Amino acid sequence: MDRRPIGVFDSGLGGLTVLKEINRYLPNEDTIYFGDTARVPYGPRSKETIIKYTFQAINFLKSKNVKAIVIACNTATARALVEANESYDIPIIGVIEAGARAAAKTTKNKKVGIIGTAGTINSKAYNKAIKSIDKKIQVIGKACPLFVPLVEEGWANKEISSTAAHMYLDSLIERGVDSLVLGCTHYPILKRTIGEAVGSDIKLINPAKETALDIKKKLEDNNLLNTSEKKGNCKYFVSDINEQFSKVAGEFLKRKITDLEKVEIHRY
Amino acid sequence: MDRRPIGVFDSGLGGLTVLKEINRYLPNEDTIYFGDTARVPYGPRSKETIIKYTFQAINFLKSKNVKAIVIACNTATARALVEANESYDIPIIGVIEAGARAAAKTTKNKKVGIIGTAGTINSKAYNKAIKSIDKKIQVIGKACPLFVPLVEEGWANKEISSTAAHMYLDSLIERGVDSLVLGCTHYPILKRTIGEAVGSDIKLINPAKETALDIKKKLEDNNLLNTSEKKGNCKYFVSDINEQFSKVAGEFLKRKITDLEKVEIHRY
């Protein structure tokens, strides 16, 4: 049994949807969240820069004595997960593998849709991960750039989001996908709207949930679970505090953030 | 008479709306456009970084022998225009002054609305510029984060943009503004949609047009106009070429870009 916290890292606030699932499936674990809000978004940055930023985040989380790290950011997973696992000896997992595995398991007709930011879709990271499991699966990606600002406006359940969902997703429905991966950490907030737009025949895959189940298994396999019966707590760190944080964090977690601290991340 | 080109600089592609107005009001002038697409957006970056990037852009444009420079970027104008004019001796103008002056001249009831990105609205740059002309004018800012991705999707004239316009602007109408500054270089693309949402009693102010008239006057005053009767040409430079460029550039300029080159901007 290991009482040390789990570290969760994202370029911004989207990773809070992953944190929420970790809290749901591992309710006794303490967690430390770090959002690199001063340097978000990572999407347009070079691989070299993203590796540097990711390593700084890992160094910071290690300084908080974490036992394992979840990279709750599609871009950082795609660009820096392999390098992180080569350079550090604690368990580090990303969001893409788990989502890809769930998609490969879910699809019946071997046609999977992936939605995400332009960066994630162009990187083809999910395509590669799914093809490496079953190369017969056809993977159709669709970038949905409006979804993140719609979520951040708090408009996820308004009519405008439903309109955007149809504009983006009708073409995926026509192409016959039977599973759809929510390949951006903001998208679980739109789950109901997206589900209504695509209909119940298309299964939605939430990598946040799959990632939580993944880290749970990793901790079990390595005897690192916290088996106390006390409910875990969560501490929040960001590299820049702005008014957006409490608004979006409230929307994502459905609870108030009381323990928020600023980190000088370039020092790590 | 001076045949050298005018340099136009933006963090990305939004400045093309300013270029278009310059080409309209100064059809005989050659122009050089530089979009810092590798480092867009400037919004979240520190003042120090924005000054550095702006100076690099100016150095690059000067290496192309420009006679004057337009900073066609609200963020770079707000953060770096003063410093640029202190450090360089060619005429350099930004987009905020001209828009502020037009707003102060247009408003009858002294209630002006400003719409822009969160960065521009939070900087209060337009508020300060308008108040410095007439401190009795009440300035009401409203950030509209959906507008840029709506334009970049090519959805500016679709129903969804009209919905977003109402969601953002109805509160400004209720507060009684009689003039509305399009305080982001992407927004002129939404002019028709925004105009329909606010109604014809509210005058829209396009700083791109005002800036073009400003640079025209500056060139006249300094005897720098190109008085040849040949139609000017435009060369386009960006720090990163992606597929987005031709799509958005086409949408903005309503003409094809044939002369596009990549610049290693960090060398300047």
Side-chain angles (χ1 to χ4, degrees):
Chain A
M1 132 114 164
D2 190 326
R3 290 180 188 275
R4 289 177 300 162
I6 300 169
V8 179
F9 153 58
D10 180 35
S11 57
L13 305 180
L16 292 171
T17 58
V18 180
L19 179 72
K20 195 178 167 192
E21 298 297 327
I22 293 171
N23 291 159
R24 186 200 310 265
Y25 290 100
L26 290 162
N28 306 324
E29 298 289 341
D30 290 339
T31 44
I32 307 249
Y33 185 86
F34 170 64
D36 195 2
T37 48
R39 304 190 295 198
V40 72
Y42 283 9
R45 302 189 198 286
S46 69
K47 185 176 166 79
E48 194 190 343
T49 301
I50 292 167
I51 290 173
K52 181 179 143 193
Y53 289 178
T54 302
F55 281 25
Q56 286 177 327
I58 294 171
N59 294 340
F60 165 70
L61 290 169
K62 283 194 68 167
S63 79
K64 296 289 174 192
N65 197 29
V66 298
K67 60 186 171 188
I69 289 174
V70 176
I71 301 183
C73 169
N74 285 280
T75 306
T77 299
R79 299 299 191 100
L81 178 64
V82 170
E83 289 76 5
N85 270 312
E86 281 165 9
S87 303
Y88 295 90
D89 51 12
I90 61 168
I92 303 175
I93 70 165
V95 281
I96 291 175
E97 280 275 304
R101 219 180 306 125
K105 215 189 296 177
T106 305
T107 183
K108 299 269 184 278
N109 71 359
K110 300 207 184 284
K111 279 191 190 172
V112 172
I114 312 283
I115 52 175
T117 62
T120 298
I121 297 306
N122 292 338
S123 79
K124 300 212 179 282
Y126 276 99
N127 306 44
K128 287 172 206 157
I130 291 172
K131 293 268 186 194
S132 80
I133 299 167
D134 178 350
K135 55 176 192 279
K136 284 191 197 131
I137 295 174
Q138 193 190 342
V139 181
I140 303 163
K142 178 78 184 170
C144 306
L146 261 298
F147 281 176
V148 167
L150 282 167
V151 167
E152 297 203 336
E153 281 294 11
W155 291 356
N157 295 314
K158 293 200 191 286
E159 188 59 28
I160 191 171
S161 291
S162 173
T163 306
H166 277 290
M167 293 174 83
Y168 284 130
L169 305 175
D170 287 353
S171 66
L172 286 180
I173 301 172
E174 276 163 32
R175 293 186 65 182
V177 304
D178 71 351
S179 324
L180 183 63
V181 178
L182 307 178
C184 168
T185 50
H186 277 67
Y187 294 2
I189 307 295
L190 285 160
K191 200 173 172 190
R192 201 178 78 198
T193 300
I194 291 171
E196 285 170 4
V198 298
S200 56
D201 289 348
I202 296 181
K203 300 285 170 254
L204 299 189
I205 289 154
N206 180 358
K209 178 186 155 194
E210 306 299 331
T211 303
L213 295 171
D214 235 29
I215 190 77
K216 185 177 180 186
K217 184 159 187 313
K218 197 88 152 189
L219 295 181
E220 280 166 359
D221 292 350
N222 290 279
N223 265 322
L224 292 172
L225 278 177
N226 183 344
T227 51
S228 85
E229 296 197 354
K230 209 177 126 260
K231 194 169 174 299
N233 70 33
C234 185
K235 286 193 177 127
Y236 302 90
F237 296 86
V238 287
S239 50
D240 193 21
I241 295 181
N242 61 32
E243 58 190 30
Q244 189 76 354
F245 188 88
S246 0
K247 187 179 148 196
V248 176
E251 182 83 15
F252 279 28
L253 293 171
K254 306 290 174 209
R255 68 172 180 251
K256 262 202 144 170
I257 304 289
T258 46
D259 206 346
L260 177 64
E261 251 179 73
K262 190 176 162 186
V263 182
E264 300 292 331
I265 192 64
H266 58 273
R267 297 204 184 140
Y268 286 86
Chain B
M1 131 115 166
D2 190 326
R3 290 180 188 274
R4 289 177 299 163
I6 300 169
V8 179
F9 153 57
D10 181 35
S11 57
L13 306 180
L16 292 170
T17 58
V18 180
L19 178 72
K20 195 179 167 194
E21 298 297 327
I22 292 171
N23 291 159
R24 185 198 311 262
Y25 290 99
L26 290 161
N28 305 324
E29 297 290 341
D30 291 339
T31 44
I32 305 245
Y33 185 86
F34 170 64
D36 194 2
T37 49
R39 306 190 294 199
V40 70
Y42 284 8
R45 302 189 199 286
S46 68
K47 184 176 169 77
E48 195 190 343
T49 301
I50 293 167
I51 290 173
K52 182 179 143 194
Y53 289 178
T54 302
F55 281 24
Q56 286 177 328
I58 294 171
N59 293 340
F60 165 70
L61 290 169
K62 283 194 67 168
S63 78
K64 297 288 172 193
N65 196 30
V66 298
K67 60 186 171 188
I69 289 174
V70 176
I71 301 183
C73 169
N74 284 282
T75 306
T77 300
R79 300 300 192 99
L81 179 63
V82 171
E83 288 77 4
N85 270 313
E86 281 165 8
S87 303
Y88 295 90
D89 51 12
I90 62 169
I92 303 174
I93 71 163
V95 280
I96 291 176
E97 279 276 303
R101 220 179 306 124
K105 215 188 298 177
T106 305
T107 184
K108 299 268 183 278
N109 71 0
K110 300 207 183 283
K111 279 192 190 173
V112 172
I114 312 283
I115 53 175
T117 63
T120 299
I121 297 306
N122 292 339
S123 79
K124 302 214 178 282
Y126 276 99
N127 307 44
K128 286 171 207 158
I130 292 172
K131 294 266 186 197
S132 80
I133 300 166
D134 179 349
K135 55 175 193 278
K136 283 191 198 132
I137 295 175
Q138 192 190 342
V139 181
I140 303 164
K142 176 80 184 169
C144 306
L146 261 298
F147 281 176
V148 167
L150 282 167
V151 167
E152 297 204 334
E153 281 294 11
W155 292 355
N157 295 313
K158 293 199 191 287
E159 188 58 31
I160 191 170
S161 291
S162 174
T163 307
H166 278 288
M167 293 173 83
Y168 284 129
L169 305 175
D170 286 354
S171 66
L172 286 181
I173 302 172
E174 277 163 32
R175 294 186 63 182
V177 304
D178 71 351
S179 323
L180 182 63
V181 178
L182 308 179
C184 168
T185 50
H186 278 67
Y187 294 2
I189 307 296
L190 285 161
K191 200 173 171 189
R192 202 179 76 198
T193 300
I194 291 170
E196 284 169 6
V198 299
S200 56
D201 288 347
I202 296 181
K203 300 285 171 253
L204 299 188
I205 290 153
N206 180 358
K209 178 184 154 194
E210 305 300 330
T211 303
L213 295 172
D214 235 29
I215 191 77
K216 186 176 181 188
K217 184 159 187 313
K218 197 88 154 190
L219 295 181
E220 281 167 358
D221 291 351
N222 291 279
N223 263 325
L224 293 171
L225 277 177
N226 183 345
T227 51
S228 86
E229 295 197 356
K230 209 177 125 260
K231 194 170 171 300
N233 70 35
C234 186
K235 286 193 177 130
Y236 301 90
F237 296 86
V238 289
S239 50
D240 193 21
I241 295 182
N242 63 31
E243 58 190 30
Q244 190 74 356
F245 188 87
S246 0
K247 187 180 148 196
V248 175
E251 181 83 15
F252 279 27
L253 293 171
K254 305 290 175 209
R255 68 172 181 251
K256 261 200 144 170
I257 305 288
T258 47
D259 206 346
L260 177 65
E261 251 180 73
K262 190 175 160 184
V263 182
E264 300 292 333
I265 192 64
H266 58 273
R267 296 205 185 137
Y268 286 86

